Amino acid sequence: MFPSLKMIMADKVDTSASSSFYALLITVLVIVGSCCAEERSVYLVLMEEEPVAFHGSHLSHEGRKVLALDSEVSKAHAKHLVDSHDHLLQSNLETGSYNKLYSFKHIVNGFSVHTTPSQANKLKVAPGVKLVEKDRGAKLMTTYTPQFLGLPQEVWAKEGGDKNAGEGIVIGFVDTGITPEHPSFTYDPLNPFTSNISHFSGACETGPRFPSSSCTGKIVSARYFSAGAQAIATLNTSVDFLSPFDAAGHGSHVASIAAGNAGVPVIVDGFYYGQASGMAPRARIAVYKAVYPTVGTITDVVAAIDQATMDGVDILTLSVGPDEPPEDTITFLSVFDVFMLFARRAGVFVAQAAGNHGPDFSTVVSYSPWAVGVAACSTDRSYPGSLLLGNGLKVGGVGLSGPTFGDGKFLCKLVLAKDAVRVNGAFPRTPEYVEECQYPEALDPVIVRGRIVICVFSAGFYNGTSNINAIIDTARTLGFMGFAFVANPAYGDFIAEPIPFAVSGIIIPKVVDAQIISQYYEQNIQRDERGFVIQYCARAAIREGRVASFAGQAPIVSRFSSRGPDFVDINRNPADVLKPDILAPGHQIWAAWSPLSALEPILTGYHFALLSGTSMATPHTAGIAALIKQYNPSWTPSMIASSISTTATKYDNYGEVILAEGSYLNSYYPSTHFDRGAGLVNPARAIDPGLVLPAEFEDHINFLCSLPGIDWSVINAATGERCNRSLSHPANLNLPSVTISTLRNSLTVKRSVKNVDSRPETYTCSVISPNGTMVNLSPTWFRIAPQEIQDIEIQFRVIQAGGEFSFGEIVLTGSLNHIVRLPLSVLPISTS
């Protein structure tokens, strides 16, 4: 193309045509240039030199900073780091080829930049640069639970009731922001905060829908981070507010689960569902908005983590993050995980969503031992609905819906949507129009008005182009008495969650139930020779679907909850770390919501939402960690994590091993550690665990240095730490569990326990060996004084090789009624 253009340019052209010719030529060149131009991306860059928090090792033994961040020394070092970032960019990249987004300077020294791949490659070899990683994007990991976990009667009572539970603790939320006027976050001047949070210093950043009055005392700080989002996308000003305001609802939901005010009435569509309370209702909230309805980036998330740690949060809640493993490095050393490592080093307990890719194995997105990965489960609360047929049969389903006329006792005519289609309508005869009730213009209003209409799951729902909201709109537009959205034998059963319906409605997700309805319907209508219905005699009523039932087996690991084993790289080679760590309620959780509901139109206008996801399980654990921190203020994050793990229960309310949902509807199997972690969190026992297993920053570095085949220079590049020593085996990291991904013949590992009780205690040691192994403990009993540390040797020996992980546990039973459990997960490869 270019040679021919040059020849044309060399020829003489008629001057009268020259202007139009050159305009065309310029257009062609612009198109060619834009096709060949490199597309910019966001890159995260880690640098040499210590960040402010660790400059000169100014840390207390608990990991908290002792050097004031507003001191002249800190300010000077922070300025020096920012200047060095700017100098490096100016010296190595072409002018105009980049845009620096952030300088990270508190817990990690580095920056993020929006530039091209070729410019990023220059940074990789620039002096002082340790690591360059492309931003993978950040996603959201998308009441009754305080009672289910025993908080009001046990933990809250020990801490002065709900008016004191969490007092003095600041929980940071990196998420979509917060709705400040929501009653879950308002400040009650009649119940003022009395605690000293001088260790925390935040700011109240204002902007659209977020005036300075938004930070009233409950919300002690609110910031937003948008440089990454603005670099890679055109933000929608109607929802992507450049302020801490939450247009999506997710951040408000998460914050209220962990730290929402106690006793807030949950009212949706005029119906009272009960009261909602956070796990730690007196904890303060610090907001770090880093994900927007349009887009989320890791660069905004890690900038928020850096700031939250600088501000001095005690607990950090991450229900957002990368949704896939890194491609170019091990999972533990992605930039995201490195930021969590240094937040932990600075004394911050980090709770992270395990992910929503279950029930397949090795789908967790929480990898590192320094963050607590949280799986999701159900409680024993459900919202059963039913459709009463004219023959007296009652078909079960779901839907937060009021009953049809007469409190569901009056039977209305039942009409199949396909039988109510306008005969002469000018619309395509596709399933969306004919079966799925997506378009009101497709249905005859005379036939459907005042009747219960059967809408059928078909191609539109299967492809994701149809939605329940459209059915509700159609029902309201045409005046349905109600609707029944039923399964289709051609597509099988589907998973349904209860959501509020503005009209009477019910979802029937099982094919067998849908066939009962279909059979009854066909037996009670008359068709003419063309197949058109000439008489509708089938009748039905939708019963009340908003009243909770508290029965059945619980908890059950949710189908969507990501499973272990943990893995070390993108090839999913297993790691010697247990993930998920813990199980918490994350299925059908009521919590605060933003009425804008930018990502969920069906929830628009609501102040509360019933959601499921590991996003919901994570703040349960964060709030419980806040209660533990309040009760034991000197404990480090590893001690809190240990107490949560060793006191968890693996049994459900029937006394059986907790079940896990399988791939199919109503399929269950006994859960393993890779489904539930250590088990369901038990806050009443976690505040008084008896023993803890500490593991601090140096231990985590030694763990990294012991990974098989690891290049120590990679660890130094990511963390700035040298491998002066390593563990004899990665499984020797002092975690409250033991995971061995490859056991050949035998292996001895060690665990060190610390007595955190004020009294001496005698413990007896017992073990349930994983199948195919023999496990021996030494000592078999010990007496331990307050604050004393006891080492325990654990010898594993393969007695029968196998190709799958097997599971067991160590149980330390104390004379003062403390019970400490350590999950065992082992893959026995060979006996020699």
Side-chain angles (χ1 to χ4, degrees):
M1 180 183 285
F2 284 106
S4 62
L5 286 174
K6 288 181 180 177
M7 288 194 300
I8 294 173
M9 290 172 67
D11 291 337
K12 283 189 175 181
V13 293
D14 183 70
T15 55
S16 63
S18 63
S19 60
S20 59
F21 169 78
Y22 283 112
L24 174 63
L25 178 60
I26 290 169
T27 301
V28 171
L29 289 172
V30 168
I31 292 172
V32 171
S34 63
C35 289
C36 300
E38 286 187 287
E39 185 175 345
R40 291 193 181 197
S41 298
V42 173
Y43 294 88
L44 299 125
V45 182
L46 302 188
M47 299 283 293
E48 294 175 354
E49 286 198 78
E50 293 279 8
V52 173
F54 312 117
H55 183 52
S57 299
H58 293 287
L59 288 178
S60 70
H61 72 282
E62 295 172 13
R64 274 299 181 192
K65 46 195 174 291
V66 295
L67 180 65
L69 293 170
D70 58 355
S71 70
E72 293 304 316
V73 174
S74 293
K75 289 179 179 178
H77 187 61
K79 182 179 185 303
H80 162 72
L81 294 179
V82 174
D83 291 344
S84 70
H85 302 161
D86 294 337
H87 177 72
L88 180 131
L89 288 167
Q90 294 164 7
S91 303
N92 291 275
L93 303 190
E94 299 168 10
T95 303
S97 68
Y98 68 90
N99 177 30
K100 189 184 82 168
L101 305 179
Y102 296 105
S103 274
F104 311 123
K105 51 190 181 292
H106 181 61
I107 57 172
V108 171
N109 175 21
F111 59 87
S112 60
V113 61
H114 190 225
T115 190
T116 62
S118 60
Q119 297 297 304
N121 287 333
K122 292 181 181 180
L123 288 176
K124 291 179 180 179
V125 296
V129 171
K130 299 189 301 182
L131 177 68
V132 177
E133 181 182 304
K134 186 177 179 181
D135 193 311
R136 290 172 282 150
K139 294 187 178 181
L140 310 176
M141 306 296 171
T142 198
T143 136
Y144 162 67
T145 43
Q147 284 76 15
F148 181 73
L149 294 173
L151 288 173
Q153 300 86 357
E154 299 178 67
V155 181
W156 288 0
K158 289 184 179 180
E159 298 180 353
D162 59 26
K163 289 182 169 54
N164 193 54
E167 184 78 40
I169 306 298
V170 179
I171 306 178
F173 299 90
V174 178
D175 216 290
T176 63
I178 200 164
T179 312
E181 68 277 8
H182 195 283
S184 290
F185 312 122
T186 54
Y187 172 66
D188 180 6
L190 299 178
N191 185 25
F193 292 99
T194 58
S195 55
N196 182 353
I197 56 167
S198 59
H199 67 280
F200 180 83
S201 58
C204 193
E205 298 179 358
T206 60
R209 295 182 180 243
F210 206 90
S212 58
S213 58
S214 300
C215 302
T216 57
K218 176 66 174 178
I219 301 173
V220 292
S221 181
R223 303 178 187 268
Y224 68 97
F225 302 82
S226 63
Q230 289 181 285
I232 67 169
T234 301
L235 298 187
N236 181 348
T237 56
S238 66
V239 292
D240 295 314
F241 300 112
L242 297 182
S243 78
F245 182 80
D246 180 16
H250 188 272
S252 300
H253 202 273
V254 168
S256 66
I257 292 171
N261 290 327
V264 177
V266 177
I267 300 174
V268 176
D269 284 333
F271 188 83
Y272 174 71
Y273 285 91
Q275 294 184 338
S277 297
M279 298 294 99
R282 289 291 286 177
R284 314 290 185 92
I285 292 171
V287 179
Y288 302 88
K289 179 177 175 178
V291 178
Y292 294 78
T294 296
V295 70
T297 66
I298 291 299
T299 192
D300 289 334
V301 170
V302 296
I305 294 173
D306 192 54
Q307 185 65 58
T309 309
M310 179 187 296
D311 288 346
V313 299
D314 299 290
I315 313 292
L316 191 59
T317 309
L318 296 174
S319 288
V320 303
D323 208 27
E324 56 189 18
E327 294 182 3
D328 302 326
T329 186
I330 64 172
T331 51
F332 306 132
L333 292 180
S334 72
V335 170
F336 182 71
D337 283 73
V338 168
F339 268 81
M340 290 192 293
L341 171 63
F342 283 97
R344 175 77 166 258
R345 184 187 182 189
V348 179
F349 176 91
V350 181
Q352 182 190 10
N356 295 338
H357 296 294
D360 292 340
F361 294 113
S362 282
T363 51
V364 289
V365 295
S366 173
Y367 314 111
S368 296
W370 45 83
V372 174
V374 188
C377 66
S378 64
T379 68
D380 61 351
R381 181 187 64 193
S382 62
Y383 289 93
S386 63
L387 181 71
L388 178 64
L389 301 178
N391 60 4
L393 288 177
K394 200 159 38 170
V395 180
V398 297
L400 298 179
S401 158
T404 47
F405 181 75
D407 199 27
K409 296 182 178 67
F410 179 81
L411 297 178
C412 314
K413 283 190 176 181
L414 192 62
V415 175
L416 181 67
K418 200 171 185 178
D419 290 333
V421 172
R422 288 176 181 264
V423 177
N424 300 316
F427 51 83
R429 262 49 182 180
T430 60
E432 293 90 337
Y433 285 84
V434 175
E435 297 180 89
E436 296 181 337
C437 304
Q438 298 294 292
Y439 299 96
E441 63 268 27
L443 302 178
D444 188 334
V446 175
I447 297 176
V448 299
R449 184 175 292 115
R451 297 177 180 181
I452 295 174
V453 179
I454 303 171
C455 310
V456 180
F457 183 107
S458 194
F461 278 95
Y462 183 80
N463 297 327
T465 55
S466 297
N467 60 76
I468 290 288
N469 210 38
I471 295 179
I472 294 172
D473 289 344
T474 299
R476 296 174 80 169
T477 299
L478 298 180
F480 292 6
M481 177 62 71
F483 70 86
F485 177 52
V486 304
N488 185 335
Y491 293 93
D493 297 345
F494 63 91
I495 298 168
E497 293 289 336
I499 50 178
F501 298 150
V503 298
S504 292
I506 188 168
I507 301 175
I508 313 288
K510 296 181 185 179
V511 168
V512 64
D513 292 331
Q515 289 173 328
I516 291 172
I517 298 169
S518 177
Q519 184 179 15
Y520 165 75
Y521 176 77
E522 290 297 335
Q523 291 173 347
N524 288 274
I525 58 170
Q526 293 183 23
R527 298 182 184 273
D528 63 18
E529 64 278 1
R530 298 171 302 167
F532 294 130
V533 178
I534 55 176
Q535 189 171 2
Y536 295 93
C537 298
R539 281 170 167 72
I542 297 171
R543 309 302 292 270
E544 176 65 69
R546 299 169 297 185
V547 176
S549 171
F550 300 93
Q553 208 161 351
I556 296 174
V557 180
S558 300
R559 178 180 292 103
F560 58 78
S561 186
S562 288
R563 310 305 210 255
D566 192 11
F567 51 94
V568 74
D569 55 31
I570 197 169
N571 296 319
R572 285 177 163 72
N573 290 306
D576 298 298
V577 174
L578 177 60
K579 290 292 173 178
D581 294 271
I582 197 70
L583 184 67
H587 188 234
Q588 297 182 14
I589 305 299
W590 279 114
W593 193 247
S594 171
L596 286 185
S597 194
L599 298 175
E600 298 288 348
I602 199 168
L603 299 176
T604 300
Y606 293 135
H607 293 275
F608 292 91
L610 187 73
L611 300 184
S612 299
T614 53
S615 278
M616 286 67 249
T618 303
H620 279 93
T621 303
I624 290 165
L627 297 175
I628 297 170
K629 180 73 173 177
Q630 180 190 14
Y631 197 72
N632 305 280
S634 65
W635 282 14
T636 64
S638 69
M639 296 167 74
I640 296 172
S642 171
S643 70
I644 288 173
S645 177
T646 61
T647 58
T649 179
K650 65 178 182 180
Y651 299 109
D652 62 22
N653 57 352
Y654 284 17
E656 304 290 337
V657 171
I658 293 170
L659 295 176
E661 288 187 308
S663 299
Y664 302 102
L665 204 62
N666 296 313
S667 64
Y668 306 94
Y669 60 89
S671 67
T672 71
H673 302 318
F674 292 161
D675 304 302
R676 65 175 187 264
L680 178 68
V681 61
N682 186 340
R685 290 186 56 213
I687 63 172
D688 180 23
L691 303 174
V692 296
L693 291 84
E696 306 308 333
F697 177 74
E698 293 77 12
D699 302 307
H700 291 129
I701 297 300
N702 294 339
F703 159 78
L704 292 170
C705 295
S706 69
L707 295 174
I710 190 71
D711 182 346
W712 286 3
S713 66
V714 173
I715 297 170
N716 178 250
T719 68
E721 301 293 321
R722 298 188 180 278
C723 289
N724 296 322
R725 59 180 294 236
S726 64
L727 306 176
S728 59
H729 189 280
N732 271 310
L733 179 61
N734 201 42
L735 296 174
S737 61
V738 180
T739 303
I740 303 175
S741 60
T742 305
L743 179 61
R744 290 185 173 88
N745 190 11
S746 66
L747 177 68
T748 299
V749 300
K750 186 183 78 171
R751 287 296 181 267
S752 299
V753 296
K754 180 179 182 179
N755 184 4
V756 291
D757 199 272
S758 59
R759 301 160 294 176
E761 191 165 4
T762 300
Y763 284 86
T764 57
C765 310
S766 61
V767 61
I768 300 173
S769 299
N771 290 338
T773 71
M774 177 72 73
V775 181
N776 293 307
L777 305 177
S778 179
T780 56
W781 70 274
F782 58 88
R783 183 171 175 80
I784 186 168
Q787 301 304 306
E788 190 176 51
I789 292 178
Q790 170 71 47
D791 292 340
I792 302 173
E793 285 193 348
I794 311 165
Q795 184 188 56
F796 294 86
R797 184 166 60 87
V798 178
I799 57 175
Q800 184 177 351
E804 296 182 348
F805 276 91
S806 57
F807 306 94
E809 68 176 348
I810 294 169
V811 181
L812 309 179
T813 305
S815 56
L816 300 176
N817 295 322
H818 292 115
I819 299 176
V820 177
R821 299 180 185 273
L822 280 67
L824 306 178
S825 309
V826 179
L827 180 57
I829 295 295
S830 67
T831 56
S832 60

